[in-house]
Amino acid sequence: MNAGTLQAIWIKRAKRGKMDPAQEAKLKAGRGLVNNADQGGRRQVTLIEEEVWQTLMAELGGDLPPAARRANLMVRGVPLANSRGRILRVGACRIRIYNETKPCERMDEALPGLKAAMYANWRGGAFGEALDDGVVRVGDAVGWEEE
């Protein structure tokens, strides 16, 4: 397993609502993050890469905190691009990646040009479903399971 790290966790309290930072979060298989607005379906957990966020901010001359992306988990050291169908282990839990997260108009509200800058090559991150019940914590190891 290539070694990355879970850098941050955010729980979205309501659709279009505030992103609350957390040091740990409970995952429920087939549902997603406990107390997160998005439950069930294929988009239970959203992820961004710290490195990609830093690159976007440098390209656009921005300094938004990564919570502005409105993702649940921020990872470092694990590329998300083209990971459709792969299984990402975060601590003791697994997340099946379904697809890339395309940016919405809220990104341009946060920083003009951000939506377009994120659109290509998975720069908006990824989303997937929780495969296990468990707790993920900031600092947990993150990596791809071998197919």
Side-chain angles (χ1 to χ4, degrees):
M1 180 166 106
N2 52 343
T5 311
L6 181 58
Q7 294 297 112
I9 300 169
W10 297 279
I11 306 291
K12 181 168 51 174
R13 55 175 90 163
K15 296 239 187 260
R16 296 186 68 91
K18 185 177 184 309
M19 301 298 289
D20 295 320
Q23 286 300 302
E24 63 178 45
K26 286 185 184 167
L27 278 175
K28 181 97 177 114
R31 297 289 300 158
L33 289 160
V34 173
N35 297 324
N36 195 57
D38 301 309
Q39 295 282 309
R42 293 164 67 94
R43 194 168 166 157
Q44 298 169 12
V45 182
T46 54
L47 304 103
I48 60 168
E49 287 171 67
E50 184 179 54
E51 297 89 340
V52 169
W53 185 258
Q54 291 170 344
T55 298
L56 287 164
M57 290 302 102
E59 286 176 5
L60 295 170
D63 63 352
L64 291 176
R69 176 57 186 114
R70 306 187 57 72
N72 298 124
L73 305 178
M74 182 170 67
V75 298
R76 180 170 66 203
V78 178
L80 297 173
N82 304 309
S83 59
R84 186 179 296 113
R86 295 187 77 188
I87 295 175
L88 185 69
R89 180 167 290 281
V90 181
C93 298
R94 295 169 304 142
I95 299 167
R96 179 187 325 268
I97 303 299
Y98 277 121
N99 213 336
E100 63 183 304
T101 307
K102 287 298 190 182
C104 67
E105 65 283 347
R106 301 212 49 202
M107 296 303 99
D108 278 346
E109 292 169 16
L111 181 65
L114 184 55
K115 180 180 175 183
M118 297 177 102
Y119 205 81
N121 197 32
W122 294 66
R123 288 175 23 139
F127 68 87
E129 75 166 324
L131 299 178
D132 303 296
D133 292 349
V135 176
V136 294
R137 293 176 180 85
V138 171
D140 277 355
V142 176
W144 296 109
E145 292 208 333
E146 295 307 313
E147 280 79 50

